[in-house]
Amino acid sequence: MEAAKEMSSLWAELEATMPDSKEELNLHFSEKVDTSIVFLLKQAGAQLYSKEKDKCVQTSKIILDYAWEKLNTGTWKDVDKEWRRVYSYGSLFKALGLCTQDHSLKEAIKVCDMGLLMGASILDNILIQVINILQKHFTIAKRSSEDGNIDCTRKKIKGSSCLFYPVMQLETAIPQLLCPSLQYFRDNYLMPQKPVILNGVIDHWPCLKKWSCDYICEVAGCRTVPVEIGSRYTDEAWSQTLMTVDDFVDKYIVNQHSSIGYLAQHQLFDQVPELKKDICIPDYCCLGEGDEEDITMNAWFGPEGTVSPLHHDPQQNFLAQVVGRKYIRLYSPHESENVYPHETAILHNTSQVDVENPDVKNFPLIERATYQECILSPGQILFIPVKWWHYVRSLDVSFSVSFWWS
């Protein structure tokens, strides 16, 4: 009885996000989309509104399989947005059609995540609305199940002993400030483009007390996210895949898989509003030229030993450390010739040199390059000026948040 009541409540919330009728779905596409696919989309919509959910799921699978081929032909930048809209509609119809039993909610959430990652916005970002409702009901069902499971283990982020702990030199240390005024930061660091560590700026962030593997799995465990496999993106064996946060934590954080997996993406905070509520955009970003919506927030979550090779970014960067510690080395843009950037267009912003173990025979100029360095700890923010080269290595299991702004 309770399960039926819960499903009835779920469907009522989902229906409230949908247009009042199938005619309002806006299933209009350019001639680039095959008429047969448009027919199937209209059929799936009609099946959904007539409560033929099983048929809707089957029709949506055909749509998604066909659209997937279109999305994976050629390069991503050449994929027509119309086919991304098709994929989003197929994801929406399939996810809603799956919402008949508790055990289907996890799959429905995955379908929505794939729509968000691969598709385009439809019906005023309805996939985000739907997935928030699904996750709320899935979490309730999951908690009810765990309440009766006395063997339920809780995963916590724990520090680990780093095999190589860098020795810091006073002359290379990045300066630190305690809550500088906006004007002081602008005049002494932003305008002259000098790196600095800011202390006391994010002490009020809830994430500093809340975030653990257990909490992240609780609020985002069922979400499908992109994961980078490999210790650094310049390795030949480096690759990308999609997996749930639960699987990522179990494989690469808790069980210390032989390879390294790293969750690095800018959509996580849009996908999981609970995490976004635990952080704030630093006030210093107001010194930039753009608006708040122009600021890009990135999540960086991974095990000890994960490396970001020496590279530079096209915008100013505030790197906020939430969990664990990171060793970071910075080189001024004036040192660009000495750090040997890759000559290819794709990696032109990445150095060929492993700065902690340089090959001085092939890259002799690296020895004359001057740098600054630090170990960034939880609660600290590092200001990395635009175009400054930076190398990052996680000393522990680490979760960082970066803010890119202009």
Side-chain angles (χ1 to χ4, degrees):
M1 181 68 72
E2 284 298 322
K5 184 177 179 181
E6 176 66 20
M7 291 308 298
S8 176
S9 171
L10 167 63
W11 189 247
E13 291 183 52
L14 292 173
E15 279 189 315
T17 69
M18 293 288 290
D20 292 333
S21 66
K22 62 184 180 183
E23 288 75 21
E24 298 177 51
L25 285 171
N26 190 30
L27 297 173
H28 305 293
F29 299 87
S30 71
E31 66 280 357
K32 295 179 180 179
V33 177
D34 303 5
T35 55
S36 59
I37 295 299
V38 177
F39 173 80
L40 288 175
L41 284 166
K42 292 180 178 179
Q43 184 179 66
Q47 291 166 342
L48 184 65
Y49 277 86
S50 61
K51 302 295 191 295
E52 299 176 281
K53 295 182 181 178
D54 289 341
K55 291 182 178 180
C56 178
V57 170
Q58 294 305 315
T59 305
S60 300
K61 286 180 179 178
I62 298 173
I63 295 168
L64 289 172
D65 286 344
Y66 196 93
W68 182 262
E69 292 298 323
K70 292 291 185 179
L71 297 182
N72 287 276
T73 300
T75 59
W76 179 251
K77 66 180 179 64
D78 294 327
V79 174
D80 195 276
K81 187 178 179 181
E82 290 286 84
W83 280 108
R84 294 177 60 197
R85 288 181 62 232
V86 169
Y87 193 86
S88 291
Y89 273 108
S91 300
L92 173 65
F93 294 153
K94 182 179 179 181
L96 293 175
L98 286 169
C99 295
T100 55
Q101 299 177 4
D102 285 347
H103 69 265
S104 298
L105 294 186
K106 187 174 183 178
E107 184 180 353
I109 290 171
K110 181 178 180 179
V111 170
C112 283
D113 272 326
M114 291 300 297
L116 289 172
L117 292 169
M118 303 295 293
S121 176
I122 57 171
L123 302 174
D124 196 25
N125 283 323
I126 191 173
L127 283 175
I128 292 179
Q129 301 173 53
V130 168
I131 205 168
N132 288 338
I133 294 170
L134 292 175
Q135 186 168 0
K136 180 184 71 173
H137 285 263
F138 177 78
T139 301
I140 292 173
K142 185 179 179 182
R143 284 173 179 167
S144 298
S145 173
E146 290 178 349
D147 286 344
N149 181 10
I150 59 174
D151 294 325
C152 178
T153 57
R154 299 180 66 82
K155 302 181 281 287
K156 299 290 185 181
I157 291 180
K158 296 181 179 180
S160 51
S161 56
C162 183
L163 296 178
F164 174 43
Y165 193 96
V167 178
M168 307 297 294
Q169 304 295 328
L170 184 61
E171 59 271 19
T172 60
I174 297 172
Q176 301 191 28
L177 296 175
L178 178 63
C179 296
S181 68
L182 293 176
Q183 182 175 345
Y184 187 88
F185 170 76
R186 182 193 62 194
D187 295 344
N188 294 278
Y189 293 95
L190 177 59
M191 299 305 294
Q193 291 287 277
K194 295 181 179 180
V196 65
I197 294 173
L198 305 178
N199 293 297
V201 173
I202 63 172
D203 289 351
H204 62 290
W205 283 12
C207 61
L208 291 172
K209 295 181 179 179
K210 293 169 63 176
W211 285 9
S212 64
C213 276
D214 179 62
Y215 178 74
I216 292 168
C217 287
E218 178 183 343
V219 300
C222 61
R223 306 304 298 274
T224 298
V225 294
V227 172
E228 300 177 1
I229 308 300
S231 62
R232 60 188 76 196
Y233 64 78
T234 50
D235 291 347
E236 288 187 11
W238 181 88
S239 63
Q240 291 179 301
T241 189
L242 294 171
M243 65 174 62
T244 65
V245 173
D246 270 335
D247 289 343
F248 167 74
V249 169
D250 287 339
K251 187 172 185 178
Y252 296 107
I253 305 296
V254 176
N255 295 318
Q256 298 286 308
H257 194 270
S258 56
S259 61
I260 289 180
Y262 200 56
L263 192 165
Q265 62 136 330
H266 69 273
Q267 289 181 308
L268 183 65
F269 297 118
D270 291 329
Q271 284 183 268
V272 188
E274 290 89 346
L275 292 178
K276 193 172 185 178
K277 293 176 183 176
D278 291 338
I279 61 176
C280 303
I281 294 176
D283 291 341
Y284 303 95
C285 289
C286 74
L287 298 172
E289 298 175 352
D291 298 323
E292 184 172 307
E293 55 267 24
D294 297 322
I295 298 170
T296 301
M297 289 186 288
N298 298 283
W300 311 95
F301 181 31
E304 168 195 346
T306 307
V307 169
S308 291
L310 188 65
H311 68 285
H312 65 76
D313 300 322
Q315 292 180 289
Q316 317 281 7
N317 183 5
F318 280 126
L319 181 63
Q321 192 65 19
V322 178
V323 174
R325 300 160 301 157
K326 283 183 171 177
Y327 170 68
I328 303 174
R329 185 182 292 189
L330 302 180
Y331 292 82
S332 161
H334 299 300
E335 300 288 355
S336 293
E337 181 181 344
N338 296 331
V339 301
Y340 298 89
H342 281 273
E343 296 179 357
T344 62
I346 295 178
L347 293 175
H348 71 279
N349 69 327
T350 302
S351 168
Q352 301 178 62
V353 183
D354 179 351
V355 296
E356 287 196 272
N357 186 30
D359 179 355
V360 296
K361 180 179 180 180
N362 289 316
F363 308 113
L365 296 181
I366 191 64
E367 289 193 302
R368 70 169 67 168
T370 60
Y371 60 84
Q372 294 177 270
E373 61 185 344
C374 72
I375 292 177
L376 200 66
S377 298
Q380 294 183 317
I381 288 184
L382 172 62
F383 171 58
I384 304 175
V386 60
K387 297 293 185 179
W388 271 67
W389 296 87
H390 48 287
Y391 165 88
V392 184
R393 176 164 60 88
S394 297
L395 302 179
D396 312 297
V397 172
S398 170
F399 201 125
S400 309
V401 181
S402 64
F403 300 85
W404 288 354
W405 55 289
S406 299

